[in-house]
């Protein structure tokens, strides 16, 4: 599955394990949105992005059809990414607030961003089977950054739920029973050697346009994440 992050990223990019998602990501890439008609879409699984020695992980749901599925970099090229990377820039975790393409110069400090499902799903809704099929990619990524990872920020309830199987798969520990409930600002303090988990509303337009998730709320989450990571 990849002995280092570069190998893992390459392996993920070639995955075709979920027939429905393969068909969808490629159809979106072929038809395109009018505003991006002159662009060549990525149209493949989207690997994680960021520092190999990350102490903070940011876990999303899945790439957006015309965002990551277009640009080939997670949270890049849509409004969700604009909000997320601007917040990371304010927190000192990104070198620039903008994220428009794979070659835009964006670099993250001590942070890696990845998704629970690596292909864009219709309506942003992967099936449980697709979630489970994709989980080993996340688990492998977490394993590779395990030496430095101290906290994971889960963007939304889907990402929050995807974290628990990783505790057993990556760290060999049973997940807590009952599972802590997702809410914005929720915090699960992990046993030694396991990253803590922070809950944050997803940076989707539904949340940011309505004011359910504000820049100040994101600033608080990243300040807490940095504190838990010892940054
Ligand atoms: S969702 Fe994950 S497992 Fe399914 S095809 Fe995409 S990368 Fe492969």
């Amino acid at each position: 599955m990849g002995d280092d992050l570069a190998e893992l990223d390459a392996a993920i990019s070639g995955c075709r394990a979920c027939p429905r998602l393969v068909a969808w990501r490629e159809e979106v890439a072929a038809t395109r949105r009018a505003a991006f008609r002159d662009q060549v879409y990525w149209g493949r699984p989207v690997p994680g992005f960021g520092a190999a020695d990350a102490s903070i992980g940011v876990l999303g749901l899945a790439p957006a059809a015309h965002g990551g599925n277009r640009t080939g970099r997670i949270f890049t090229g849509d409004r969700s990414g604009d909000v997320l990377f601007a917040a990371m820039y304010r927190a000192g975790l990104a070198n620039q607030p903008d994220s428009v393409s794979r070659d835009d110069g964006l670099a993250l400090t001590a942070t890696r961003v990845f998704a629970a499902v690596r292909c864009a799903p219709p309506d942003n809704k992967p099936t449980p089977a697709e979630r489970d099929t994709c989980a080993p990619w996340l688990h492998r990524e977490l394993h590779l950054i395990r030496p430095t990872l101290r906290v994971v920020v889960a963007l939304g309830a889907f990402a929050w739920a995807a974290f628990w199987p990783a505790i057993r798969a990556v760290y060999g520990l049973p997940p807590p029973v009952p599972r802590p409930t997702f809410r914005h600002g929720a915090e699960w303090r992990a046993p030694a050697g396991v990253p803590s988990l922070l809950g944050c509303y997803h940076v989707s337009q539904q949340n940011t346009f309505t004011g359910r998730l504000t820049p100040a709320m994101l600033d608080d989450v990243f300040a807490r994440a940095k504190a838990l990571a010892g940054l």
Side-chain angles (χ1 to χ4, degrees), residues 12 15-18 21-22 25 45 117-119 133-134 137:
I12 289 172
C15 183
R16 304 181 64 84
C18 304
L21 298 189
V22 170
R25 77 192 194 205
V117 172
R118 305 303 172 104
C119 291
T133 302
C134 206
W137 292 128

Side-chain angles (χ1 to χ4, degrees), residues 112-129:
R112 194 162 170 90
V113 181
F114 32 65
V117 172
R118 305 303 172 104
C119 291
D123 299 322
N124 291 320
K125 288 196 179 96
T127 66

Side-chain angles (χ1 to χ4, degrees), residues 23-116:
W24 173 252
R25 77 192 194 205
E26 294 180 356
E27 182 192 329
V28 169
T31 54
R32 292 170 285 183
R33 179 177 280 171
F36 307 124
R37 194 177 295 126
D38 60 341
Q39 296 186 16
V40 176
Y41 275 48
W42 175 254
R44 292 152 59 190
V46 181
F49 168 65
D53 60 349
S55 50
I56 299 174
V58 178
L59 179 59
L61 194 172
H66 301 279
N69 189 56
R70 174 173 60 89
T71 63
R73 196 173 68 193
I74 192 70
F75 280 113
T76 295
D78 64 10
R79 283 295 301 154
S80 298
D82 292 346
V83 171
L84 176 64
F85 288 116
M88 292 175 67
Y89 175 71
R90 293 193 300 274
L93 300 172
N95 67 332
Q96 62 186 43
D98 303 314
S99 172
V100 294
S101 67
R102 280 203 312 285
D103 57 1
D104 62 7
L106 176 66
L108 306 184
T109 301
T111 311
R112 194 162 170 90
V113 181
F114 32 65

Side-chain angles (χ1 to χ4, degrees), residues 5 8 19-20 22 33 38 45 47 61 68 84 108-109 113 115 123 146 151 156 170 174 200 206 209 219 226:
L5 285 170
L8 177 69
R20 185 183 79 117
V22 170
R33 179 177 280 171
D38 60 341
L61 194 172
L84 176 64
L108 306 184
T109 301
V113 181
D123 299 322
R146 177 176 176 171
V151 56
V170 179
C200 179
Q206 286 157 294
F209 276 20
D219 290 347
K226 287 176 67 177

